[in-house]
Amino acid sequence: MQGDTDVTSDANAPWLIVGLGNPGPEYAANRHNVGFMVADLLAERTGGKFKRAGKAQAQVVEGRMGAPGPASRRIVLVKPTSYMNLSGGPVNALRDFYKVPLANVLAVHDELDIDYGTLRLKLGGGDNGHNGLKSMTKAMGAEYHRVRFGIGRPPGRMQVADFVLKDFSSTERKELAFLVDRAADAVECLVAEGLERAQSAYNS
């Protein structure tokens, strides 16, 4: 399908913006849940509230992004409720339901190999051991956009699984709201102005 690789092939196609994380209050402040944090902020900006997506294991908000008028883009914000390593099934079901080209899918996720707070935007690529991305790629292919939110590597001999499932440190939390806000800005820029412009503005 042509739209699967060409973001500009259908200007009317919606965007599926997926915040990756784990459901439940015990995970809410974890590093692994920064995708949920960004999705929550984007929902707040659109004035929407997450609700269950029918039979899909996900919560969604439908809305629009960008300046009012022809440039405004239809969006569906998604928070899978299937746990991280099973995110692909719900996301792909919603992609089919809303008829979203693969290149109009955008995943917001934590990234170990980037310093804390640094953003990197890209299209396609590997999963770098991230179980949410691994599940999404298995379900629908790799050519979707990513907004990668750096969380850095675990200190000392701490295991990666333990590190990502811990809350941000007190030092990190001092900047977290600002950094989540910036990541939400990056998502809006990518949707409104394209990957190259967003990379120029937000990749660091």
Side-chain angles (χ1 to χ4, degrees), residues 131-166:
N131 287 332
L133 297 181
K134 189 177 297 183
S135 180
M136 285 181 60
T137 296
K138 183 178 180 181
M140 59 189 185
E143 291 303 304
Y144 53 90
H145 285 88
R146 300 105 188 273
V147 172
R148 305 155 73 203
F149 186 109
I151 61 170
R153 302 292 303 185
R157 297 184 179 182
M158 183 184 291
Q159 295 295 312
V160 166
D162 294 332
F163 179 69
V164 299
L165 293 177
K166 286 188 180 298

Side-chain angles (χ1 to χ4, degrees), residues 59-100:
Q59 293 183 324
V60 299
V61 171
E62 297 181 44
R64 302 196 74 86
M65 187 173 282
S72 175
R73 299 300 301 266
R74 183 180 170 213
I75 63 160
V76 182
L77 298 169
V78 180
K79 294 196 300 183
T81 57
S82 56
Y83 291 96
M84 184 71 82
N85 62 346
L86 298 173
S87 300
V91 172
N92 201 36
L94 290 168
R95 185 173 82 92
D96 288 344
F97 179 79
Y98 288 104
K99 297 179 172 57
V100 178

